Amino acid sequence: DPHLAGSTGLSRYYDFGEGPPPEGIQDEAGYYHRVVVYYLAHPDAASNHLVELKQPNSDTVGFTFGLQLCENTQAGSKCDPLKSLALSRDFYKGDRSMRESGFDVSFRFGPFSADTHHYAPICLNSLLYKQEKDLEKMSLLLGKKAESDKWRKRAEDRKQRINQYLWDSQRGLFFDYNFENQSRSSYEFITTFYPLWAGLATPEQAKAVVQNLSIFEQPGGLAMSRHESEGQWDYPYGWAPTQLLAVKGLRRYGYNADADRVSYKFVSMIAENFRRDGTIREKYNVVTRSSETNVGAGYKANVVGFGWTNAAFLEFLHDLPRDQVERLDREQRQGTVAPASRRLSERTWPAAGGTPAPPSKKSQQSGFRAGD
C-alpha cells in the first residue's frame, strides 16, 4: 500500500500525481523559482530535490530554470557559471503530498515540506485512530461484533505504533517520524495536540504536552510552530481548525482553564479584527493579533469569509464560561465601531430578493451572550 509509511505500520500522505499541481502553477506565481533559489543557496538542504541539467535527465519533470549565484565585492560582481536547474520527481511527489496533507506550505517536513511522503505524521495517524474508534462503536451499535473487534484491534495497533515512533518522552511532545532515515523529527508543530483530541494520549502524555503549551501560545492563540519559514502554516500564523482540535483536546483531558485562556485569545483577536475591517479571515498572525499577513512561500492570500474560522469562533464562544463571554461583549461595545463592522449580533443580512433585513429586537438588545 503506497499510503503506508515504510515498515512502521503507520500511514503517510502520498499523492499519485507527477510534476507540479495546478494550484502551484495558477495561484502561487514564482513559487518553484523560489524553491530552486533556496536550494541553490542551501545545497545541504537540496539532497535529491535539485537536479542540474548537464544533459537530458529522466529524473526531472516540470520547469527548468537558468540561475547563477553572484557575489558582490569591491572589485565588482563575481558570478558562478550559469546553471540549468530543475526540481526532481521526488520533490514534486513530496510537494503534492504536502498539499494532500492540507499544510501547504510549512517547513515541517524539511524545506518546503518536500519530504512529506517520507514521514509518518502525527496528525494523519491521530485522525485515522479516531476514525477506527468511531467505526468500532458504529459496528457494535449495528450488532456487528466481528467488525467492531476488527476496528478495535486496528486502533489499538495504531496507538501502540504511535507511542513507539511518534512520542518523545524526553521532550513531552508528539512528533512526526522520517521512516526513510529512521529518525523522529524535532520540529515542534501544533499537531502535537491531535492525540489529545483523538483520545489516544495517556493522562501522563497529555500532562506533558500541556506543560509545553508555552511553545505555541501567543497573544492571539496558538501558533502553528516556532519556526518562521515564511510559509502560511508556520510561525507566526494561527488557523481555526488546528486551534479547535487543540482546545478540544485540552478540554478532553480536563485542562479547561488552559482551554478557556487559549479560546479567549483567539476569539477576541477575531472580534477585534472584525470590528476594525468587517471581515473574518482564513488565518491570523497570532503574535501581532492581526489579519494582516506577509506570506512569502506558497499561497499568499488571506481569504475573507472562510467557513472554518466562523465555525470555530462559534464553538469557542459556546464553550467559554459566561463571565468570559460577557467580557468579550464589553470589549466589543467599548471599541470604536465603524458602520461596516458593527457588533456581530447587530449586523443585518440580505433577506429574500437582496433587500437588507432589519435587525430583530433580540439582536438589538445585546452583543455576545453565553450559549449563543
Side-chain angles (χ1 to χ4, degrees), residues 7-146:
S7 61
T8 64
L10 295 169
S11 300
R12 64 169 174 169
Y13 296 114
Y14 184 85
D15 186 88
F16 290 99
E18 299 288 339
E23 66 269 24
I25 301 171
Q26 297 173 2
D27 301 331
E28 301 169 8
Y31 175 65
Y32 295 113
H33 180 272
R34 178 189 177 94
V35 173
V36 171
V37 170
Y38 178 91
Y39 283 145
L40 192 60
H42 302 83
D44 292 342
S47 62
N48 62 332
H49 298 318
L50 187 63
V51 179
E52 184 175 357
L53 300 177
K54 296 181 178 179
Q55 57 186 13
N57 192 317
S58 62
D59 189 43
T60 64
V61 61
F63 306 106
T64 300
F65 302 92
L67 296 171
Q68 62 184 158
L69 286 178
C70 295
E71 180 183 4
N72 291 324
T73 66
Q74 291 182 344
S77 295
K78 180 181 179 181
C79 296
D80 292 339
L82 181 68
K83 295 181 178 180
S84 182
L85 301 166
L87 295 166
S88 68
R89 291 180 181 273
D90 190 67
F91 169 84
Y92 285 117
K93 183 64 69 176
D95 181 62
R96 283 176 166 269
S97 300
M98 169 195 66
R99 297 168 191 278
E100 178 183 284
S101 78
F103 296 108
D104 53 331
V105 174
S106 82
F107 274 39
R108 172 186 173 193
F109 302 115
F112 304 97
S113 280
D115 289 322
T116 298
H117 56 314
H118 298 315
Y119 279 84
I122 184 59
C123 49
L124 175 62
N125 285 283
S126 296
L127 293 170
L128 290 173
Y129 171 85
K130 178 66 164 59
Q131 184 180 57
E132 288 159 351
K133 294 298 291 183
D134 288 345
L135 288 168
E136 174 195 345
K137 295 177 182 177
M138 292 165 64
S139 299
L140 197 60
L141 287 171
L142 293 171
K144 299 182 178 182
K145 187 177 184 305

Side-chain angles (χ1 to χ4, degrees), residues 241-304:
T242 51
Q243 209 89 198
L244 182 62
L245 293 186
V247 167
K248 292 290 187 182
L250 293 173
R251 293 199 187 283
R252 182 166 191 158
Y253 286 82
Y255 295 97
N256 290 306
D258 294 301
D260 290 343
R261 185 181 66 255
V262 171
S263 297
Y264 192 85
K265 287 182 173 184
F266 193 67
V267 297
S268 64
M269 175 185 64
I270 294 172
E272 179 182 312
N273 281 270
F274 181 85
R275 191 174 69 235
R276 181 167 53 244
D277 64 18
T279 66
I280 292 180
R281 304 296 183 110
E282 67 170 347
K283 59 181 174 284
Y284 291 84
N285 183 324
V286 294
V287 177
T288 62
R289 289 176 56 89
S290 173
S291 61
E292 296 181 8
T293 58
N294 185 26
V295 177
Y299 192 72
K300 297 179 175 62
N302 193 7
V303 180
V304 173

